[in-house]
Amino acid sequence: MMGCAGKILRVNLSSGTISVEEPGEAFYRQYFGGTGFVAYYLLKELPKGIDPLGPENKVVFALGPLTGHPVAGAGRNSVGAKSPLTGGIGFSEAGGFWGAELKKAGFDAIIIEGKAEKPSYLWIHDGQAEIRDGSNIWGKTTGEVEDVIRAELGDDRIRVAQCGIAGENRVRYACVLNDITHAYGRSGIGAVMGSKNLKAVAVRGTQNMPVADPAKLQELARWMATDNKPNWEGMKDTGTAGGVVSLHASSALPTKNFRFGQFEGHQKISGQTMRDTVLVSRDNCYACPIFCKRVVKTGEPHNVNPRYGGPEYETIGSLGSTCGLDDLEAICKGNELCNAYGMDTISAGVTISFAMECYETGLLTKDDLDGLDARFGNAEAMLSLLEKIARRQGVGDVLAEGSLRAARKWGKGSEIYAMQVKGQEIPMHEPRLKMALGVGYALSPTGADHCHNVHDTAFVKSSSSYEDLGIGGGPIPAADLGERKIRILSQLLPNRHFGNCVGLCNFVGWGNDKTLELVRAATGWKSTIFELLKVGERALNLAKCFNLREGFTQKDDVLPKRFYEPFLTGPLTGVAPTPEQVEEAKRNYYAMVGWDRETGVPLRGKMKELDIEWALDAATG
């Protein structure tokens, strides 16, 4: 095959056996890679009802056909497992250089099974793999682990994906990081690695991956770097945090646990302020000219280490405005702690903001919070709680379970303050502005997620940018939840999931026509946009079937009640969806995508059309 290695590495940590599988081109065409591979293997191979932190769970790292080719955004890849945070399917994506290195080492995916008897790490290099003793890296920060592994193996170009101290301690939203700053942030896969005594996966590859049309790939790479530069220069300048000011202006900046949509300290934590104060450099992913990653450094009192990068928008929101914090240097320190210990900044920040609201409303006292004055805006409390969570010390042991489990433990009606879907905390995008996004949160198989979702504001002026998918008809308000908006949701979600299968970054902006050209140039397949959308639709339905098998129903596709409460001030005053609107939108979505309108179970005819009828049998048998 062109573009792909054609090989999948299987590692059993319990027995120490390592094998290589070659599933063939037909398999690749059907599932592509990324989350398509993740959902396939988890549904096929995991028994129903297993403990996510038990040895029966599996961790699947999966590249896409475009991962590792020299074009912007192709550093992307996925990792998945049964999620210890939600109990359903878990997967997350990251950029960086690790995925490209794995492809150069000769593999498209790794399936990791069992549990090692002692701390270990996996070493993969040019078609070879071995399980090595990791006792000397257990308990160390991500930076220390990378240094030790590179020194031990004698190569500074080794790329390392690892679970961090939070993963060792089974923090349910522990993430996996590669190159220290690139986070597979969501779903708690780091905790699964930790439960397997697997600290890291180190990779080095020197093989050239042949492509079908190298001249065409070079042409496309030049187009993105030069002709398309005006469309990404802003991302390079201020990163994802460049939108903080405009989000505040539109009442869409999550503030104090989503009680408000505007934050008076927003200017202090904006991407522009970061650029003009603490930013010391910009970083990128494999072959990408955009350099959207932030690198920050500060002196006293926090002494932020630039090795751990800098905060993206999600971190600015979750550790900043959502916690009522306008201290940019403290937010940068919180980002460093999460990257050093291996924690999802979204779940960490929203779980802390949940505790802060419980404290401010009197449901919790200082005694419940280890003596901390955990009011909104207290930077020291936020940083102290991050430390406690990562190490499961004191109240951190409760908060390491996530906001939903913590609320169920504390009781006292605190569950209304847990901003989560299916147990996963809400990202930094406001459903009272973007109402279809809120429905997407409720529907997401992994729990609330903003990446495999729609953002309603993209359609306020025009929907013409999606005409290649047959989506048109002029502008549509962000607050609309009628059938046309839900039709857009149903048409775009397969497109979003396909991006996670093919191995392309969301931020680069290739568009569907150019993405198709990339796929054809890399693989030589005579693909069509129709085929690519079916790949995404297939991955979404596999994920849905996994959750159905684990007991999830349409009753789990719900939003927190807070998002039905309108803001009392700002541009969105009085604006919020009603429960009835969201329920009707959800059922319309079910019907439009070939699921039973009442139960949300995929119809057999739809599964036959996607050629995955076996998945429905696995879910309902």
Side-chain angles (χ1 to χ4, degrees):
M1 288 190 293
M2 297 285 105
C4 301
K7 295 180 179 180
I8 293 174
L9 184 69
R10 188 178 291 268
V11 179
N12 189 302
L13 297 171
S14 297
S15 64
T17 57
I18 297 174
S19 59
V20 176
E21 300 170 4
E22 299 182 35
E25 187 170 322
F27 178 81
Y28 277 76
R29 286 292 290 269
Q30 185 160 18
Y31 302 106
F32 257 64
T35 54
F37 279 12
V38 168
Y40 172 87
Y41 282 109
L42 294 182
L43 183 56
K44 271 281 188 182
E45 299 186 1
L46 292 189
K48 177 181 178 179
I50 64 163
D51 179 0
L53 297 177
E56 288 182 296
N57 203 356
K58 300 185 182 187
V59 175
V60 181
F61 286 90
L63 316 182
L66 295 183
T67 305
H69 298 304
V71 295
R76 203 83 174 164
N77 59 98
S78 302
V79 65
K82 183 176 181 181
S83 169
L85 185 62
T86 70
I89 195 166
F91 52 79
S92 191
E93 294 73 45
F97 294 79
W98 185 91
E101 201 72 23
L102 181 64
K103 183 162 282 187
K104 291 178 181 179
F107 300 105
D108 297 311
I110 312 168
I111 303 169
I112 301 170
E113 308 169 328
K115 178 180 180 179
E117 290 185 3
K118 61 182 180 180
S120 305
Y121 73 93
L122 184 60
W123 167 223
I124 302 169
H125 50 101
D126 284 338
Q128 305 297 314
E130 59 181 298
I131 302 168
R132 297 178 65 97
D133 184 7
S135 300
N136 60 335
I137 55 175
W138 202 255
K140 294 187 181 298
T141 63
T142 54
E144 292 170 335
V145 168
E146 186 175 84
D147 288 343
V148 171
I149 288 177
R150 286 176 168 177
E152 182 176 295
L153 298 174
D155 190 341
D156 287 339
R157 299 185 67 181
I158 287 170
R159 301 294 179 175
V160 179
Q162 55 180 305
C163 69
I165 291 171
E168 295 176 17
N169 292 326
R170 283 47 156 196
V171 174
R172 288 187 184 269
Y173 43 87
C175 65
V176 179
L177 290 124
N178 75 68
D179 301 326
I180 301 175
T181 62
H182 299 272
Y184 309 86
R186 318 248 47 207
S187 296
I189 313 301
V192 182
M193 282 184 66
S195 74
K196 294 181 174 300
N197 280 332
L198 181 68
K199 180 67 171 180
V201 181
V203 181
R204 181 74 170 97
T206 62
Q207 304 175 30
N208 292 322
M209 183 57 56
V211 297
D213 191 343
K216 183 62 176 180
L217 272 187
Q218 289 175 0
E219 174 192 322
L220 290 164
R222 284 193 299 270
W223 174 84
M224 179 56 72
T226 56
D227 296 7
N228 201 46
K229 186 176 181 180
N231 292 323
W232 53 255
E233 282 184 301
M235 183 68 76
K236 182 172 185 176
D237 183 36
T238 55
T240 56
V244 167
V245 174
S246 61
L247 287 168
H248 163 84
S250 58
S251 280
L253 183 62
T255 300
K256 296 185 177 180
N257 202 28
F258 293 88
R259 288 164 58 195
F260 311 102
Q262 293 188 303
F263 181 47
E264 62 183 14
H266 67 281
Q267 292 279 6
K268 297 179 181 180
I269 61 175
S270 70
Q272 293 79 1
T273 297
M274 191 192 319
R275 176 197 63 200
D276 297 339
T277 57
V278 298
L279 188 74
V280 294
S281 184
R282 294 172 173 86
D283 203 357
N284 72 328
C285 298
Y286 178 78
C288 190
I290 298 178
F291 284 78
C292 71
K293 299 284 288 183
R294 309 293 91 181
V295 180
V296 301
K297 182 179 180 180
T298 74
E300 295 291 343
H302 298 301
N303 294 311
V304 175
N305 185 344
R307 185 172 189 186
Y308 293 96
E312 307 286 348
Y313 165 66
E314 295 296 326
T315 305
I316 291 283
S318 59
L319 299 182
S321 59
T322 305
C323 290
L325 274 168
D326 63 7
D327 184 338
L328 181 59
E329 294 192 7
I331 296 168
C332 291
K333 187 64 178 182
N335 178 79
E336 178 191 323
L337 292 175
C338 286
N339 283 355
Y341 294 145
M343 285 194 296
D344 173 24
T345 59
I346 298 174
S347 280
V350 175
T351 299
I352 289 171
S353 73
F354 154 76
M356 287 177 165
E357 183 165 9
C358 289
Y359 177 70
E360 288 209 347
T361 56
L363 291 179
L364 299 178
T365 67
K366 283 187 178 181
D367 289 341
D368 297 313
L369 296 169
D370 299 342
L372 292 173
D373 179 19
R375 66 186 185 281
F376 286 117
N378 188 335
E380 294 309 312
M382 181 272 286
L383 294 173
S384 178
L385 287 172
L386 286 178
E387 290 271 4
K388 289 175 178 289
I389 291 167
R391 300 184 182 279
R392 279 191 176 267
Q393 295 174 342
V395 70
D397 190 43
V398 179
L399 296 177
E401 295 289 291
S403 58
L404 180 60
R405 285 182 176 83
R408 288 173 175 170
K409 178 177 177 62
W410 282 329
K412 305 177 185 178
S414 60
E415 193 168 327
I416 63 170
Y417 302 138
M419 297 297 104
Q420 51 74 37
V421 171
K422 299 181 179 73
Q424 178 159 275
E425 284 69 29
I426 303 283
M428 301 296 103
H429 302 271
E430 176 53 64
R432 280 162 286 201
L433 173 67
K434 304 175 181 180
M435 292 193 184
L437 171 127
V439 177
Y441 281 165
L443 294 167
S444 170
T446 61
D449 191 280
H450 62 292
C451 289
H452 51 258
N453 209 333
V454 299
H455 292 263
D456 303 63
T457 46
F459 308 101
V460 170
K461 294 182 179 179
S462 173
S463 58
S464 62
S465 60
Y466 294 98
E467 283 182 343
D468 55 358
L469 299 181
I471 296 172
I476 184 167
D480 189 292
L481 271 183
E483 290 185 2
R484 183 178 165 219
K485 176 66 75 64
I486 300 308
R487 188 179 305 114
I488 291 174
L489 180 70
S490 71
Q491 292 167 330
L492 279 186
L493 289 194
N495 181 247
R496 297 289 187 262
H497 283 274
F498 171 73
N500 293 338
C501 297
V502 75
L504 269 185
C505 177
N506 290 339
F507 295 137
V508 177
W510 281 104
N512 294 294
D513 290 337
K514 285 286 193 293
T515 297
L516 179 60
E517 291 182 43
L518 287 169
V519 170
R520 288 177 169 179
T523 65
W525 299 337
K526 296 183 184 297
S527 296
T528 63
I529 288 178
F530 176 83
E531 178 191 4
L532 305 190
L533 292 177
K534 286 300 171 183
V535 168
E537 190 178 3
R538 197 171 288 119
L540 174 56
N541 276 272
L542 289 173
K544 175 71 172 180
C545 285
F546 184 97
N547 281 1
L548 288 171
R549 188 187 65 181
E550 297 304 314
F552 287 80
T553 72
Q554 62 87 19
K555 293 180 180 179
D556 296 293
D557 293 346
V558 293
L559 278 175
K561 293 180 180 179
R562 171 153 291 170
F563 295 114
Y564 301 128
E565 302 167 1
F567 294 128
L568 300 179
T569 59
L572 291 182
T573 298
V575 177
T578 66
E580 293 76 20
Q581 283 178 307
V582 171
E583 189 66 18
E584 179 65 12
K586 182 178 78 174
R587 294 178 189 276
N588 282 339
Y589 174 87
Y590 289 164
M592 288 179 186
V593 300
W595 298 353
D596 183 272
R597 178 178 169 83
E598 300 303 318
T599 66
V601 175
L603 299 175
R604 188 162 295 274
K606 166 55 65 176
M607 302 302 276
K608 286 182 177 181
E609 186 254 323
L610 294 172
D611 195 21
I612 51 171
E613 189 177 5
W614 64 266
L616 184 61
D617 293 334
T620 59

